[in-house]
């Protein structure tokens, strides 16, 4: 653990330093891919399938291709010469439909033209003949004996590593992925239980709504492939593009400027292969900018239908939990197999439960492909998990907060076999939440409170490298593969470097997310940047310092042992040199530099998975209008167990942002399908959290016990406060009205109906 | 679809300076700002007048430039995010408050948010929390949970009570 | 981007010229005001026009004035202008209240009252309230002017009685009498109201001499009936007891259907909730 310094000792770290990207973002100067134009650039527009499941009989592109300004039309028939399938888990996803379409909205053809309008206008001149096939839309339909198969062949594996399960995609059923965990003896435990709760819960499909829709500019030429993309994980996209074009890694370059929101929805490869194929075919740079309505047809989150039961013994100790989860993954696997694995693990919650069995299945269906979404399946299973904690507490007549405290996993406890022991202080977190909510005072009439918590085995896989360049004038450039999605990597990473090198924050600059320049970093997601990239940053700085100590020894003609490192430089006896002086003297010119490097792998303090447990407690006080069923959140509390906040304001910002997304799914957000048609595929109908939904009272808390494996004991944050919000809403409604709602979101009509049914009883 | 191209010769004031630009009748103000005048600070997201990422001010009033025709700007005063800071680089107080209060993350909603906030404060320099929420409700931010944005506006209005959320 | 398909814009200088332009373009042309509805429908390819006739270049349609019996609002007056109008606030405060909550600031700044009514989108706040207030619209074409009440104007979802070569020039709203009590309340979760309830009462002490209740957004056009209004007249105490009956009857007239905004059953229930709330608000 890198935690020599204690809270209070830090100069730069652990301070709410204003964001590095502040000026650029408030003046409109921040560049996103949507703002980028290349010389000679053409535009692509996509024709999409109107059918959920159909054979493509023929595509006639001649009329569209003949229009003025059109360079050509790309279809699934034009992909000879490249490997058109990609995918993070399995390569089941063609960059354009080949022979068959599998969901309404699947790309069937792309027009490439001189400008966006010309490309758009040509779309309606493409003639496609389909032969409709029977679609598979729900879990039940996917499981049916005579169900048509979405995929009838086995695909090559993708880049997904650190993934423990076996991918079952394309093996004779519509099951995309199954994952199971089991310990103890569940049957026995339920037999002997003092009390059991059991129920079925539904968590909907949601849309992340990154405000910047997917966009990519690809330039494929003799030198290789260059793509400017809004991708969260440029190195992962590089992996797919390299295989598609059969090129060496060194000839594939991904550049990611500022990203307009991700929340997991921009993880892994999305539209980059299509943009690149257009550029490859029509031999010019091509920009493919989706609209939000197209983005809604590109990725969503997996829904989850969960049957769960949980048991306690006579002392109120949780002794068993069992669940069976069904997830609808849509037409292609994308990253859902990992979501399945993670949601299976996250069913357990931050509790020490001796008997556990979780069985999880995800299914291919003829709907929009699902993939990662902030929290990786955790919110889906925390609705049932944290609902049942309240249900059980009520059943045995215990206060739900005390019940949680009593069963909470303890710091250092091996509560999850084969995983890193729990690192965190859940009891302290829950206490803070309870105090903030004034838990022991009754809620005013028509209102109710709830506290809930979750812990996630962080998805971050430890493979990260970085380099820092200390220049002769003492300024520093960080080279990092982490993308700036808004989470603040451009602020947090220089804070760490400035702390380590003992120099002002303003002297450290960031060069990020260009795979041709910045060293390999596996991804930017799963709250990993601070923990892994932050740790790498410390190592790289320390390695640079070591080099500069050696240089100083050389310049001063002393032994390295005689040199002492002080903030910003070294001391040797009476002599003090700062970094700039060392470098300039070493090269005997006011020029040159020192490069510090670091590589992090699954070893040492990151040998054990997960690299941290992301533990967050949240609380709400809600008001319920029983006549309409409308719920208003009056008070919101978050408690992030972050180890150490490198930048407290940013950490709090992540917590309130994620909690607000969580409120969205708790109250309103869901993608509604009627048959094969997405009914609310526009922001006009998909209800997002707005200003009016914000709680009047907000309390954001950080618990900093420096107990993580990351820099100075930091752990990740940024997903956790989303996970328990839907459960919080459901629990608060139950406490206020006695009605248990097991279906998110708790829309006004759903709440009204549940209340009505109770009255009828 | 008509093949008759109608070119509109557009003259208006943009961020205090006269501009003249030719565009087609069906072009939106956002297209003209972003593609013809290369001012990409104005962002495009939902394109259906819901999110406010594309907010610019026309004669001081916030509009959705994703849908408003550029034609509507003729003879008017248009303010985009590029027009807020002083020529010497000094930020507008709202811009500064957004930085101070961490009122953005990804920044995609930010230009529109700041311009909407400007329109609000220009007509109501000391809005109550409810007035802020009502006016700003048509601007969506997916990152921040809105709380720091309300605080930034309150800060400019001089009504921000405590340093902490508590 | 969702580009708009190519079109031209005409700038009529008079009502007559606008009507002529519309007649000339036939099916290929359409009147255009703020464009907040029209351009969205065109972006989604639900409507296609090659020619837009800009009604805003017709002089004098963007004024608000007070006559002997009426508050007159020109067709191209924006929601925001109504919201901020001192005349409207004085003579019809319920209208200003309603306008304050239509859409978002940006749509209010460009969208017009005329455009809202003439698009006849079923989830319209103004349509419901104006029907309850007994407003009339003026429609003009090549062959002169007609006066229609709101019920005549709005024929159904996206259907009006305005001919393709006619335009609406303005709305007349009867001035508020001292005895008039009015309230408009809506229930809204998404961009458009799930339900709007307008209630206009003529009171004399504790007696409700007459009433007009309209429910909007739950049916293709705003719904009301004489029978409902009859139930809502009488002594305040009696009417209070009959509110549920009135609501039931009003819901029956509206005959809502299941859609994304909610089930028919839920909407029928909401009629009762909001009739009660509007009643309390109107009399407070
Ligand atoms: C995001 C959003 C939220 C909204 N929320 C609400 C809400 O909460 N409540 C509500 O009531 N409304 C709501 N609306 C609708 C809004 O009120 C209308 O979009 C607006 O008033 C339409 O006016 P316009 O001038 O933009 O019409 P346009 O789009 O220009 O025209 C609409 C139609 O009316 C016709 N038309 C326009 N003017 C005339 C005229 N003078 N004579 C004859 N025909 C004419 C046009 O030909 C066209 O068919 C919302 C709209 C949006 C986009
Ligand atoms: S992009 Fe214009 S309102 Fe969303
Ligand atoms: S800062 Fe990302 S949407 Fe507001």
């Amino acid at each position: 653990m890198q935690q020599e310094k204690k809270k209070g000792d830090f100069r730069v770290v652990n301070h709410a330093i204003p964001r590095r990207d502040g000026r650029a973002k408030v003046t409109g100067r921040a560049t996103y891919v949507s703002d980028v134009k290349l010389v000679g650039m053409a535009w692509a527009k996509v024709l999409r399938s109107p059918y959920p499941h159909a054979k493509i009989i023929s595509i006639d592109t001649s009329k569209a291709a003949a229009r003025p300004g059109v360079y050509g039309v790309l279809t699934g028939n034009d992909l000879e010469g490249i490997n058109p399938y990609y995918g993070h888990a399995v390569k089941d996803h063609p960059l354009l439909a080949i022979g068959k379409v599998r969901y309404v909205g699947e790309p069937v053809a792309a027009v490439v033209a001189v400008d966006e309008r010309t490309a758009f206008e040509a779309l309606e001149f493409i003639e496609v003949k389909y032969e409709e096939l029977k679609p598979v839309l729900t879990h039940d339909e996917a499981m049916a004996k005579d169900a048509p198969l979405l995929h009838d062949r086995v695909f090559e594996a993708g880049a997904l590593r650190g993934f423990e399960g076996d991918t079952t995609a394309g093996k004779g059923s519509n099951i995309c992925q199954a994952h199971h965990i089991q310990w103890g003896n569940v049957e026995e435990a339920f037999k002997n239980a003092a009390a059991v709760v059991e129920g079925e819960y539904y968590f909907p499909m949601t849309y992340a709504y990154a405000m910047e829709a997917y966009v990519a500019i690809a330039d494929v030429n003799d030198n290789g492939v260059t793509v400017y993309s809004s991708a969260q994980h440029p190195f992962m996209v590089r992996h797919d593009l390299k295989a598609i074009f059969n090129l060496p890694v060194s000839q594939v370059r991904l550049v990611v400027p500022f990203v307009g929101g991700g929340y997991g929805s921009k993880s892994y490869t999305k539209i980059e292969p299509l943009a690149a194929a257009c550029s490859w075919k029509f031999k010019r740079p091509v920009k493919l900018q989706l609209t939000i309505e197209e983005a809604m047809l590109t990725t969503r989150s997996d829904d989850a239908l969960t049957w769960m039961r949980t048991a306690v013994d006579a002392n109120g100790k949780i002794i068993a939990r069992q669940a069976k989860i069904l997830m609808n993954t849509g037409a292609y696997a994308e990253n859902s197999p990992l979501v399945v694995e993670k949601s299976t693990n996250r069913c357990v919650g931050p509790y020490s439960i001796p008997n556990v069995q979780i069985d999880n299945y995800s299914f291919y269906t003829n709907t929009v492909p699902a993939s990662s979404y902030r929290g990786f399946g955790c919110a889906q299973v925390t609705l049932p998990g944290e609902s049942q904690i309240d249900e059980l507490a009520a059943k045995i007549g215990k206060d739900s907060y005390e019940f949680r405290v009593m069963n909470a996993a303890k710091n250092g406890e091996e509560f999850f076999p084969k995983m890193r022991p729990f690192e965190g202080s859940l009891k302290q977190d829950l206490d803070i939440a309870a105090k903030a909510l004034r838990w022991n005072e009754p809620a005013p009439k028509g209102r109710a409170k709830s506290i809930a918590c979750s812990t996630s085995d962080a998805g971050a896989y430890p493979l990260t490298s970085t380099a820092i360049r200390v220049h002769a004038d003492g300024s520093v450039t960080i080279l990092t593969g982490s993308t700036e999605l808004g989470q603040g990597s451009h602020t947090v990473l220089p804070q760490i470097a400035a702390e380590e090198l003992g120099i002002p924050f303003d002297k450290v600059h960031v060069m990020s997310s260009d795979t041709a320049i910045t060293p390999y970093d596996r991804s930017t997601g799963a709250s990993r940047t601070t923990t892994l990239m932050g740790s790498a940053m410390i190592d790289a700085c320390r390695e640079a310092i070591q080099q500069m100590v050696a240089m100083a020894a050389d310049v001063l003609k002393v032994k390295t042992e005689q040199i002492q490192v002080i903030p910003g430089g070294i001391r040797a006896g009476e002599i003090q040199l700062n970094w700039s002086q060392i470098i300039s003297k070493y090269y005997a010119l006011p020029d040159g530099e020192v490069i510090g490097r670091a590589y992090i792998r699954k070893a040492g303090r990151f040998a054990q998975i997960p690299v941290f447990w992301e533990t967050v407690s949240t609380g709400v006080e809600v008001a319920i209008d029983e006549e309409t069923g409308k719920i208003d959140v009056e008070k919101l509390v978050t408690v992030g167990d972050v180890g150490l906040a490198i930048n407290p304001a940013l950490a709090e910002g992540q917590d309130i942002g994620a909690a607000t997304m969580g409120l969205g799914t708790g109250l309103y957000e869901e993608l509604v399908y009627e048959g094969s048609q997405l009914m609310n595929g526009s922001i006009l109908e998909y209800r997002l959290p707005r200003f009016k939904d914000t709680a009047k009272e907000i309390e954001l808390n950080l618990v900093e016990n420096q107990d993580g494996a990351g820099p100075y004991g930091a752990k990740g944050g940024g997903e956790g406060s989303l996970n328990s919000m839907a459960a919080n809403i459901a629990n608060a409604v139950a406490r206020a009205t006695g009605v248990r709602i097991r279906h998110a979101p708790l829309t006004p009509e759903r709440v009204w109906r549940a209340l009505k049914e109770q009255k009828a009883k | 679809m008509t093949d008759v191209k109608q070119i509109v010769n557009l003259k208006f004031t943009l961020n205090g300076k006269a501009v003249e630009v030719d565009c087609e009748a069906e072009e939106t103000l956002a297209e003209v700002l972003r593609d013809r005048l290369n001012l990409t600070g104005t962002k495009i997201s939902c394109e259906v007048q819901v999110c406010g990422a594309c907010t610019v001010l026309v004669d001081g009033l916030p509009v959705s430039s994703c849908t408003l025709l550029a034609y509507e700007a003729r003879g008017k005063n248009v303010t985009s995010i590029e027009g807020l800071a002083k020529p010497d680089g000094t930020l507008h107080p709202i811009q500064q408050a957004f930085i101070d209060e961490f009122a953005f993350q990804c920044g995609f909603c930010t230009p529109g948010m700041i311009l909407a906030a400007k329109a609000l404060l220009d007509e109501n320099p000391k809005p109550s929390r409810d007035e802020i929420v009502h006016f700003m409700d048509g601007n969506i931010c997916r990152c921040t949970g809105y709380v720091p944005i309300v605080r930034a506006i309150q800060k400019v209005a001089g009504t921000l009570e405590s340093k902490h959320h508590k | 981007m969702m580009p708009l398909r190519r079109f031209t814009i005409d700038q009529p200088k008079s009502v007559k010229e606008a009507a002529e332009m519309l007649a000339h373009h036939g099916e290929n042309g359409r009147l255009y005001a703020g464009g907040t509805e029209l351009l969205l429908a065109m972006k989604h390819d639900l409507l296609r026009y090659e020619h837009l006739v800009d009604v805003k270049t017709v002089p004098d349609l963007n004024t608000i004035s007070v006559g002997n019996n009426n508050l007159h609002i020109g067709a191209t007056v924006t929601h925001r202008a109504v919201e901020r109008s001192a005349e409207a606030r004085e003579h019809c405060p319920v209208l200003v209240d309603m306008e304050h909550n239509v859409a978002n600031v940006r749509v209010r700044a460009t969208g017009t009252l005329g455009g809202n009514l003439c698009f006849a989108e079923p989830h319209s706040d103004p349509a419901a309230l104006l029907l309850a207030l007994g407003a009339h619209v003026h429609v003009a074409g090549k062959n002169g002017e007609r006066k229609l009440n709101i019920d005549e104007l709005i024929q159904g979802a996206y259907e009006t009685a305005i001919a393709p070569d006619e335009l609406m020039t303005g709305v007349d709203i009867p001035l508020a009498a001292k005895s008039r009590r009015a309230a408009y309340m809506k229930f809204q979760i998404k961009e458009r109201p799930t339900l709007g309830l307008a209630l206009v009462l003529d009171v004399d002490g504790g007696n409700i001499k007459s009433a007009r209740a309209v429910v909007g957004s739950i049916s293709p056009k705003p719904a009301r009936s004489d029978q409902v209004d009859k139930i809502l007249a009488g002594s305040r105490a009696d009417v209070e007891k009959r509110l549920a009956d009135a609501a039931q009857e009003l819901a029956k007239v509206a005959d809502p259907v299941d859609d994304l905004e909610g089930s028919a059953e839920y909407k029928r229930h909401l009629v009762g909730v909001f009739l009660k709330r509007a009643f309390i608000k109107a009399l407070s």
Side-chain angles (χ1 to χ4, degrees), chain A residues 211 261 263, chain B residues 103-110 140-144 149:
Chain A
M211 289 191 73
Y263 327 107
Chain B
F104 56 88
Q105 291 178 21
C106 79
F108 212 73
C109 70
T110 311
I140 288 176
C141 173
R142 193 57 155 160
C143 294
T144 63
I149 300 174

Side-chain angles (χ1 to χ4, degrees), chain B residues 43-54 64-66, chain C residues 106:
Chain B
K43 296 293 173 245
I44 304 239
S45 182
C46 73
E47 301 189 60
V48 289
Q49 305 167 88
V50 173
C51 76
C54 64
S64 303
S65 68
C66 67
Chain C
R106 300 183 308 281

